Amino acid sequence: RAAGKAPAGRVALAVERRGRHIIFTCRDDGRGLDLDAVRRVAVERGLLRAGSDTRDPEELIRLLMRGGISTSETVTEVSGRGIGMDVVRESVGKLGGELVVRTEAGKGATFEIAVPLSVASIEALAVEAEGATVTIPLDAVRTVLRVAGDEIAWAAEGASMLFDGQAIPFLSLSQALFGTPPLGSRTWPTVVVAAAGNLVAVGVERLRGTARVVVRPLSELAPSGPVVAGASLDAEGNPQIVLDPDGLVELGRGGVTAELRPTPSGLPILVVDDSLTTRMLEQSILESAGYEVDLAASGEAGLDSVRRKRYALILCDVEMPGMDGFAFVESIRSDPAAHDVPAILVTSRASAEDRQRGRDVRAQGYVVKSDFDQTKLLDMIRSLVA
């Protein structure tokens, strides 16, 4: 009471993830460590030479953690023998961690144990970049939103956007992980990540949902970048990168500069497929790459679109009721206004006969859904519409 404190003391325990470490913190509001008593006992035990006037708090705390020093006047089964701090320091060291002690006279002391994140189960948001699925710890995700290209300010020192009335850094995940220059004109599915009291907006290709993942550290033989915290395995056993929110924020605040990819120019792409799911998936992939997209739910509807509008390229399913994909491509090849429009067949049919029929109707590409690779598809499209 005389010191202006509450009559009851307070001890606070906290556990948090900070980057690649789990932090255990014990904080009290007592009188702090009695460093004068520590220095006196260290001299008595011969750990400091007689006459030493060492007052450096850090050096005295290091002596305390080495063991053999106790300022208690009584010895019990659990205290007063000068070995407790030494046991803690040694145990933390075996885990590859670190013990930090801070004290403030009359205010209290803080003991902080940091241990590496070896194996931990966390809720994570799965996102996609350059066809790869990576995860972001969900406790660091402030929100997700869609951001138009003109809402982002692109500058030599880095990109930024407005969020809740303040400018925050914008980071293209494809560029951060793979060095791919961002496409400025596209609409970005964006994850706002919070760490160390700061925010960064991370632009991705698409959101894949949330899941509980087990995070494991990467081997020393596979060094990672500053934005990688570890890896997890998906349901099929495939490794997925787990991103470090602190690394993302730090990278965003430092700015990532690169020239923007040129916006795909010219005519739109037509997607013809009777499956709503497939149409929406292909539309998402193409729009993420900056293309304008039209949709048709059948071969007949696709022909109507081709007769009304000029297209840069057509993606077409094979197995559709009524007019199938082979007949559709054959029809546009006989149309003087559309005979030169590139066509790619996207189908589950993988036989040599079907592939040959695709060549016979003069389709420029044949993609089997079981072997689907988003990056290869986009590369094929870019080469055909260039």
Side-chain angles (χ1 to χ4, degrees):
R1 291 194 185 95
K5 298 183 179 182
R10 177 179 177 83
V11 177
L13 299 175
V15 184
E16 63 176 324
R17 179 189 52 77
R18 190 183 303 163
R20 297 176 175 85
H21 290 79
I22 296 292
I23 312 298
F24 300 85
T25 304
C26 177
R27 181 180 295 108
D28 66 56
D29 63 351
R31 66 179 182 180
L33 297 178
D34 188 347
L35 295 182
D36 287 336
V38 171
R39 183 177 58 82
R40 184 176 63 253
V41 173
V43 171
E44 292 173 358
R45 300 286 173 86
L47 300 175
L48 281 177
R49 69 178 185 275
S52 171
D53 193 32
T54 297
R55 301 281 178 178
D56 181 11
E58 291 187 4
E59 182 177 349
L60 292 172
I61 289 173
R62 282 195 296 270
L63 285 172
L64 183 64
M65 289 193 293
R66 282 169 49 186
I69 295 178
S70 175
T71 59
S72 175
E73 297 180 355
T74 59
V75 177
T76 71
E77 292 182 356
V78 295
S79 67
R81 291 174 291 170
I83 61 173
M85 293 295 291
D86 184 37
V87 170
V88 173
R89 179 188 57 78
E90 185 175 340
S91 299
V92 172
K94 288 180 179 178
L95 294 173
E98 182 182 12
L99 171 64
V100 177
V101 181
R102 293 184 292 272
T103 183
E104 189 174 358
K107 298 292 183 64
T110 298
F111 297 82
E112 187 175 276
I113 297 173
V115 293
L117 184 66
S118 56
V119 177
S121 175
I122 63 170
E123 287 288 336
L125 173 66
V127 300
E128 195 171 302
E130 291 293 304
T133 299
V134 301
T135 57
I136 302 172
L138 198 58
D139 61 357
V141 175
R142 174 69 65 85
T143 189
V144 295
L145 41 90
R146 292 182 68 83
V147 179
D150 58 8
E151 297 179 74
I152 302 169
W154 303 95
E157 62 273 12
S160 63
M161 56 168 276
L162 285 178
F163 175 73
D164 280 352
Q166 64 171 318
I168 65 173
F170 178 89
L171 182 66
S172 161
L173 187 57
S174 295
Q175 185 177 4
L177 293 178
F178 307 110
T180 306
L183 188 69
S185 63
R186 57 164 288 186
T187 296
W188 295 84
T190 300
V191 183
V192 178
V193 176
N198 295 296
L199 299 173
V200 64
V202 181
V204 303
E205 289 181 8
R206 60 184 49 82
L207 307 173
R208 301 294 298 270
T210 60
R212 179 165 287 278
V213 300
V214 176
V215 185
R216 301 175 185 274
L218 294 178
S219 165
E220 293 181 358
L221 299 177
S224 61
V227 299
V228 177
S232 66
L233 299 177
D234 64 14
E236 298 177 352
N238 301 310
Q240 294 179 341
I241 289 174
V242 179
L243 299 178
D244 179 7
D246 294 273
L248 288 171
V249 167
E250 188 64 27
L251 186 61
R253 286 168 58 83
V256 178
T257 60
E259 293 184 3
L260 298 179
R261 276 185 290 163
T263 303
S265 58
L267 302 170
I269 291 176
L270 176 64
V271 173
V272 183
D273 200 300
D274 63 313
S275 166
L276 174 62
T277 302
T278 302
R279 289 199 306 272
M280 300 304 292
L281 173 63
E282 292 179 355
Q283 179 185 28
S284 175
I285 291 172
L286 294 169
E287 288 184 342
S288 294
Y291 295 100
E292 181 185 343
V293 180
D294 287 351
L295 303 174
S298 67
E300 293 81 0
L303 281 181
D304 289 340
S305 297
V306 169
R307 289 165 183 154
R308 295 193 311 267
K309 192 172 183 178
R310 178 74 175 172
Y311 289 99
L313 181 136
I314 299 171
L315 285 181
C316 183
D317 187 22
V318 169
E319 296 180 287
M320 296 185 291
M323 177 181 288
D324 67 12
F326 295 127
F328 172 81
V329 176
E330 199 168 29
S331 296
I332 64 172
R333 289 292 171 258
S334 62
D335 186 336
H339 73 280
D340 60 341
V341 177
I344 298 175
L345 292 170
V346 182
T347 176
S348 58
R349 294 164 67 166
S351 71
E353 293 80 5
D354 288 322
R355 293 176 185 271
Q356 182 58 50
R357 191 174 175 192
R359 289 190 287 269
D360 291 342
V361 298
R362 290 183 290 159
Q364 281 82 357
Y366 195 97
V367 176
V368 179
K369 292 179 180 178
S370 60
D371 299 327
F372 181 82
D373 185 305
Q374 174 181 315
T375 302
K376 291 181 179 178
L377 175 64
L378 290 175
D379 287 343
M380 184 188 300
I381 290 172
R382 291 187 188 105
S383 67
L384 291 173
V385 303

